[in-house]
Amino acid sequence: MNGHLINHIMYADDFVFISPSSAELCQQLRECEKFGMSHDVTYNAKKSAVMIFRYATLKGCSIPEFKLKGVTLHVVATYEYLGNYISDDLSDDDDINRQRRTLYVQGNIILRKFSMCSLEVKLTLFRSYCSPMYGVQLWWNYKKSTLNRLHIAYHNILKLFIGMSKYESTSLLCTLFDVQCCQSVIYGV
């Protein structure tokens, strides 16, 4: 990137190796082991995994074993990293489904705990806990049906907060109660 080789990304105690080949990844893992031994750093191979991004025509090719501290690392199709799901086919569907589940969980918890509060309090809670969606700016490769299910979940939770039927017009409710519609949250419109 800009003339610099980026082969790893680190955030706190999480890191990612990026490698153009399996041989180079094995070399990176060996270097990691050497660093760990010389600096008294312990890596948890059981929490580690390998994800391979490749063309569909190469899906049937054999994959070598990748080891860290003698433990074979699992090759996975999907992995959760820093709260986002990453898929080997570069699809964002799993991450969108994560957001949809999170929305239902947060919405239902708030509704249960604050059912006796005023509408204004509920709307403030909805704006604070349901409208912000972590990682939506990264989505670019998804099925329309997956994103549509997220829109439905968002608007159904909003209608529950307001106490309206799920058949009411969402755009009218968003305007009346000054709440962003799902498209505005996702696309920043």
Side-chain angles (χ1 to χ4, degrees):
M1 182 177 276
N2 293 330
H4 298 284
L5 173 65
I6 298 176
N7 63 0
H8 63 282
I9 301 169
M10 299 169 66
Y11 183 81
D13 65 345
D14 290 315
F15 62 91
V16 174
F17 287 131
I18 303 168
S19 176
S21 69
S22 57
E24 188 170 319
L25 179 58
C26 289
Q27 177 60 33
Q28 287 174 327
L29 291 170
R30 285 191 296 276
E31 291 295 323
C32 187
E33 287 175 343
K34 280 195 262 181
F35 178 85
M37 289 187 341
S38 65
H39 290 84
D40 198 28
V41 174
T42 304
Y43 300 104
N44 189 344
K46 291 178 183 173
K47 286 187 174 182
S48 302
V50 173
M51 181 177 289
I52 300 173
F53 301 94
R54 54 187 165 169
Y55 294 108
T57 55
L58 299 175
K59 289 284 185 191
C61 294
S62 64
I63 301 167
E65 278 192 345
F66 299 97
K67 293 188 176 208
L68 181 61
K69 294 174 52 179
V71 177
T72 301
L73 302 177
H74 295 285
V75 177
V76 296
T78 304
Y79 195 78
E80 183 180 3
Y81 182 68
L82 300 178
N84 290 74
Y85 284 92
I86 302 167
S87 299
D88 65 356
D89 63 358
L90 299 177
S91 167
D92 293 311
D93 290 331
D94 289 331
D95 199 49
I96 294 169
N97 286 328
R98 170 204 53 86
Q99 182 61 58
R100 183 174 50 86
R101 287 188 303 273
T102 299
L103 182 62
Y104 274 124
V105 168
Q106 287 176 328
N108 285 320
I109 288 171
I110 292 167
L111 283 168
R112 197 172 342 107
K113 288 185 177 183
F114 299 95
S115 62
M116 303 305 286
C117 291
S118 69
L119 178 59
E120 189 59 39
V121 169
K122 289 179 187 175
L123 289 172
T124 300
L125 290 167
F126 182 85
R127 286 185 204 102
S128 299
Y129 292 99
C130 297
S131 289
M133 292 190 200
Y134 177 68
V136 297
Q137 300 83 359
L138 302 173
W139 298 341
W140 65 277
N141 182 23
Y142 49 82
K143 295 177 190 145
K144 287 181 181 178
S145 61
T146 305
L147 195 62
N148 189 46
R149 284 193 296 274
L150 175 65
H151 289 200
I152 291 167
Y154 181 89
H155 293 124
N156 283 346
I157 291 292
L158 174 60
K159 290 171 188 176
L160 285 171
F161 269 74
I162 296 171
M164 303 297 276
S165 163
K166 65 180 181 178
Y167 303 108
E168 295 288 329
S169 167
T170 305
S171 55
L172 177 62
L173 291 176
C174 290
T175 304
L176 279 173
F177 295 106
D178 192 29
V179 175
Q180 284 185 302
C181 67
C182 191
Q183 290 84 345
S184 296
V185 171
I186 292 172
Y187 303 118
V189 180

